[in-house]
Amino acid sequence: GRVHALDGNGNELPGFPVATDPTQVTRDHKGIPPGNEPLFTNLAVGDLDHDGRQWIVGASSTGRVYIWDSHGNRRKGWPKVLNVGVSKPGIPRPDSPFTRPPIMGATAPPVLADLDDHQNGKLEIIQAGWDGRLHVWKPNGLRLSGWPVEVTLPPGTTPPSGNVQINDHKLDLPPALAE
């Protein structure tokens, strides 16, 4: 749950390390602090506002997208949550073979690209989530129009003979972008 920024000599830069939000646990265990939301995938670094300042973007395994500046300050309006269509499963869990419902989380690293206006140079934040959607936000935290988009197989898609299709909403890898 921490991001470190080191100079060329291995010294921590001022303002670092930074931390994600504390992990939300369902049950406390005396003497064991839960720590912060894990960041176990690559981070993205880029000039979000096209003004020469670098920003650090990371997604936690618990489904939040964070942004920090080069001094370790969180960007206003962040983190954002990857939870479209997510709901707690019933208890007892429904008998749904080969089905994994959408959940809040992410293992894909964020991708930065100018999707809305190739003239302004501002980078949008693109994040694949375990809710089965690709999310896109502007640097100010507003969603880009038309996003998030649910990723599904085309109608009529069937697995090859001898295989079983699993309905799993998790998008584990970053999207590939092309023009």
Side-chain angles (χ1 to χ4, degrees), residues 12-78:
E12 196 86 55
L13 293 175
F16 288 87
V18 293
T20 58
D21 289 345
T23 299
Q24 300 297 312
V25 296
T26 54
R27 185 174 147 206
D28 287 325
H29 296 280
K30 188 176 180 178
I32 302 174
N36 293 65
E37 294 181 351
L39 294 162
F40 58 79
T41 190
N42 295 338
L43 303 171
V45 177
D47 181 357
L48 297 179
D49 302 309
H50 196 60
D51 62 3
R53 296 185 311 164
Q54 298 295 309
W55 294 86
I56 302 163
V57 184
S60 73
S61 62
T62 52
R64 286 183 181 75
V65 180
Y66 293 86
I67 300 179
W68 297 275
D69 68 15
S70 61
H71 303 288
N73 301 303
R74 275 199 199 176
R75 189 167 180 120
K76 184 180 177 184
W78 294 83

Side-chain angles (χ1 to χ4, degrees), residues 89-165:
I91 305 244
R93 294 230 177 196
D95 184 20
S96 302
F98 306 112
T99 299
R100 297 181 184 122
I103 61 172
M104 196 169 133
T107 50
V111 175
L112 307 178
D114 186 358
L115 294 182
D116 67 341
D117 180 359
H118 297 297
Q119 305 297 318
N120 70 6
K122 291 186 178 185
L123 301 176
E124 279 72 47
I125 297 89
I126 306 150
Q127 182 65 54
W130 289 349
D131 61 356
R133 289 165 172 79
L134 287 176
H135 299 260
V136 179
W137 295 277
K138 295 180 182 186
N140 65 9
L142 296 176
R143 287 195 181 274
L144 190 62
S145 180
W147 299 86
V149 172
E150 186 174 15
V151 177
T152 61
L153 291 171
T157 301
T158 58
S161 178
N163 292 300
V164 175
Q165 184 170 326

